[in-house]
Amino acid sequence: MSQYLDAKYAALQPYTPGEQPRDADYTKLNTNESPFAPSPKVQLAVASEVACLNRYPDPAAHELRESFATYYGVETDCVFFGNGSDEILAFCFQALCPQGAAFADITYGFYPVYCALYGVQHTLVPLREDFSLVPEDYYGMGRTIFIANPNAPTGLALSRRQVEDILQNNAGSLVIMDEAYVDFGGESAVPLLTKYNNLLVVGTFSKSRALAGGRLGYAMGSKELIEDLNRVRFSFNPYNLSRTTLAAGTAAIRDEAYHDKCCRSIVQTRAETARALEKMGFECTDSHANFLFCSHETMPAQELYTLLKERRVLVRWFDQPRIQNWLRVTIGTKEEMDKFFFELRKILRETKD
Ligand SMILES: *Cc1c(COP(=O)(O)O)cnc(C)c1O
């Protein structure tokens, strides 16, 4: 730490991203990326945009906005884009939590980090014993509610009816639904936008659209909420999306067939993976995301994580109360899952005797 750092940042505990090893010989099942390359149409669009990089990008993202709004059936002025959904969540914590924030005790680890960064008071609402989120626990919160749906790292999802229940019982408060994983089997709250102006839906191109490296997130909400987000964005960085990111996002949203194919493959591999894990003595939550959350009957999760890593397979283990005996395993290609099971079987065999 230098002598120049403002004292109010000295105690910040930054978010720890999943490991990104530099050597490529890891099977990476630890950060919920897509195992598939972006659509070939995305690759072409990005390549042809490179020649224009001498010019600033369109701060209003016109083309992307049109295609996106058409895809989701919303008005173009009800859409916002950010440099990853992380940037949008940061804007939300910074500007849309005047009464503080509320979120689950087990959820996306960035929420408490943003609270610390922006000095936002937050209430932790514990998930139930089985990691389920119960709408009643959120009635009349009196602060901005953040819910990842499907949740991370549990994979459990709320129905649209349950989300509506939370919205109806928080009429005076904003409810932010983080739908990073919705395309893998969740029920989106987007159809509720016409009925509830206390709803903001946030999502990302990082997972189902295979653009984690492109950094593109979105938000949908009332025109007024989108105006608020733009007020912050234009006071910070109007060019938050590069030309190549805009080109990639536009091509990705237009290639519906490729997106559907990738999502179907993940959902199918997820079901096969869960069945195989259960046969090996794991308990899995009912994941609606592109990962499984699982716990072995005898083998401690931390040990499994370490032994898998030694064998060049990366999964995610969280050193956090309540979930210390759980692993989050991203669904990869069938070949990647074969490698995972090959090493996992060896580990379980070797440690039995
Ligand atoms: C991955 C993830 C994000 C962040 O996604 P980016 O768009 O890559 O910043 C946000 N929320 C949840 C719950 C996530 O899992």
Side-chain angles (χ1 to χ4, degrees):
M1 197 180 301
S2 81
Q3 67 194 100
Y4 307 109
L5 182 69
D6 187 323
K8 66 173 176 276
Y9 298 120
L12 273 186
Q13 294 271 9
Y15 178 73
T16 321
E19 300 157 89
Q20 299 286 2
R22 304 269 302 174
D23 40 338
D25 61 336
Y26 275 92
T27 300
K28 251 189 115 281
L29 306 176
N30 68 329
T31 49
N32 299 343
E33 292 145 318
S34 170
F36 307 113
S39 145
K41 292 178 182 166
V42 168
Q43 299 188 37
L44 278 176
V46 170
S48 66
E49 193 64 22
V50 170
C52 310
L53 285 180
N54 55 314
R55 299 292 180 197
Y56 279 111
D58 171 13
H62 281 101
E63 258 195 287
L64 172 61
R65 175 180 310 279
E66 294 285 342
S67 298
F68 186 91
T70 304
Y71 179 88
Y72 281 99
V74 297
E75 300 293 325
T76 51
D77 51 6
C78 295
V79 178
F80 180 86
F81 299 106
N83 192 295
S85 54
D86 284 342
E87 185 183 62
I88 303 177
L89 291 167
F91 291 161
C92 293
F93 280 100
Q94 185 179 14
L96 297 174
C97 297
Q99 261 81 46
F103 43 83
D105 60 337
I106 300 166
T107 188
Y108 188 36
F110 228 133
Y111 301 161
V113 176
Y114 286 134
C115 286
L117 177 62
Y118 295 116
V120 173
Q121 296 284 338
H122 65 280
T123 304
L124 289 183
V125 186
L127 298 177
R128 298 299 173 95
E129 195 56 34
D130 60 356
F131 301 137
S132 62
L133 186 155
V134 177
E136 283 84 349
D137 295 347
Y138 286 80
Y139 284 3
M141 286 302 311
R143 30 184 74 208
T144 303
I145 296 170
F146 291 80
I147 297 177
N149 188 41
N151 196 12
T154 65
L156 297 181
L158 293 175
S159 69
R160 188 174 300 132
R161 180 64 213 121
Q162 288 177 301
V163 175
E164 185 162 19
D165 188 13
I166 293 170
L167 288 163
Q168 286 171 340
N169 286 283
N170 283 282
S173 303
L174 179 60
V175 178
I176 297 177
M177 298 303 299
D178 181 350
E179 297 191 345
Y181 301 103
V182 76
D183 295 341
F184 303 106
E187 233 176 34
S188 176
V190 168
L192 299 174
L193 284 167
T194 47
K195 240 170 111 182
Y196 299 94
N197 59 14
N198 61 330
L199 169 64
L200 186 75
V201 177
V202 176
T204 180
F205 282 59
S206 292
K207 277 93 189 210
S208 69
R209 293 187 194 276
L211 280 176
R215 311 308 300 131
L216 181 58
Y218 60 81
M220 289 177 259
S222 72
K223 214 170 108 231
E224 291 74 20
L225 273 172
I226 300 308
E227 259 172 38
D228 296 341
L229 288 171
N230 274 318
R231 180 185 294 269
V232 180
R233 181 171 74 97
F234 279 89
S235 307
F236 173 69
N237 179 13
Y239 301 120
N240 59 337
L241 303 177
S242 72
R243 276 183 173 272
T244 45
T245 296
L246 290 170
T250 309
I253 202 80
R254 289 176 184 169
D255 198 347
E256 233 176 295
Y258 187 81
H259 178 243
D260 292 350
K261 190 175 86 175
C262 292
C263 290
R264 272 199 305 274
S265 164
I266 296 293
V267 169
Q268 196 198 331
T269 307
R270 180 180 70 206
E272 292 164 4
T273 306
R275 246 178 281 130
L277 283 171
E278 276 155 13
K279 274 195 204 137
M280 295 167 76
F282 283 90
E283 172 192 353
C284 296
T285 60
D286 180 23
S287 174
H288 289 64
N290 66 341
F291 55 82
L292 284 168
F293 197 50
C294 59
S295 179
H296 192 259
E297 55 193 2
T298 55
M299 187 81 173
Q302 185 180 12
E303 209 171 315
L304 272 175
Y305 158 78
T306 307
L307 293 170
L308 280 166
K309 187 173 171 182
E310 281 169 12
R311 290 160 174 78
R312 295 280 180 270
V313 176
L314 276 181
V315 298
R316 193 84 193 258
W317 172 72
F318 298 89
D319 188 6
Q320 198 188 311
R322 294 188 70 186
I323 56 170
Q324 255 156 350
N325 206 26
W326 291 78
L327 290 177
R328 193 192 69 190
V329 182
T330 305
I331 302 300
T333 60
K334 290 192 196 302
E335 296 69 35
E336 286 172 319
M337 299 328 283
D338 286 346
K339 162 79 176 165
F340 165 71
F341 279 116
F342 177 77
E343 300 298 344
L344 186 60
R345 285 202 177 90
K346 264 204 309 202
I347 290 168
L348 292 175
R349 225 183 298 124
E350 284 165 18
T351 52
K352 217 162 49 197
D353 28 66

